[in-house]
């Protein structure tokens, strides 16, 4: 990654610099270097927000939201579920406004539901899982994502001591 970053810096390819920094941040995350993860992620953010000499922005709305989605993961990891939740709520808002792909939006509904589950806010978790059920089964990916949502639903019920309902959703997911 460092060699690629050096090449992108030499050629003023800021977009690929930002993407490479995100990749480097992910390596730090998986190596449990959380502080370094944030440091490198914010370097990428600053590049996405920048402009080329012609005035064109380096990153578009989609790039920015993908960045923030990735940023939610380390926030969740360190227990900052409130911050991660705000990121994923913003993702839903901007995604709807910009007509992001349905599968992507559905994945992020599940992430949001898990954040609320992990904060013990089951009603909010159920709300976003039910919102996901409204998506039409346009392809197998959407069906698979809905199955993963059933797993979250089951976990919610299990954590609330409603084991029979949890078992129902576990079976439904499988």
């Amino acid at each position: 990654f460092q060699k690629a970053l050096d090449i992108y810096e030499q050629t003023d390819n800021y977009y690929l610099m930002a993407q490479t920094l995100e990749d480097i941040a992910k390596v730090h995350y998986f190596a449990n270097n959380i502080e370094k993860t944030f440091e490198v992620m914010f370097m990428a953010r600053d590049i996405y927000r920048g402009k080329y000499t012609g005035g064109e922005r380096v990153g578009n709305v989609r790039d920015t939201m993908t960045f923030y989605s990735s940023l939610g993961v380390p926030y969740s990891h360190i227990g900052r579920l409130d911050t991660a939740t705000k990121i994923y709520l913003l993702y839903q808002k901007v995604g709807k406004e910009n007509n992001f792909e349905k599968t992507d939006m559905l994945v992020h509904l599940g992430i949001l539901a898990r954040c609320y589950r992990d904060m013990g806010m089951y009603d909010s978790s159920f709300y976003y899982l039910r919102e996901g059920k409204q998506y039409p089964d346009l392809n197998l990916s959407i069906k698979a994502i809905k199955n993963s949502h059933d797993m979250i639903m089951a976990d919610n019920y299990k954590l609330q001591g409603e084991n029979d309902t949890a078992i129902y959703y576990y079976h439904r997911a499988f």
Side-chain angles (χ1 to χ4, degrees), residues 98-117:
N98 290 277
N99 202 29
F100 286 4
E101 200 268 325
K102 299 278 186 231
T103 307
D104 182 43
M105 293 296 289
L106 195 56
V107 165
H108 281 83
L109 282 173
I111 294 170
L112 190 53
R114 278 195 300 271
C115 286
Y116 279 118
R117 177 202 63 204

Side-chain angles (χ1 to χ4, degrees), residues 88-96 105 108-109 112 131:
Y88 297 123
L89 285 169
L90 177 64
Y91 193 98
Q92 286 298 310
K93 178 183 179 292
V94 173
K96 286 177 184 174
M105 293 296 289
H108 281 83
L109 282 173
L112 190 53
E131 188 173 313

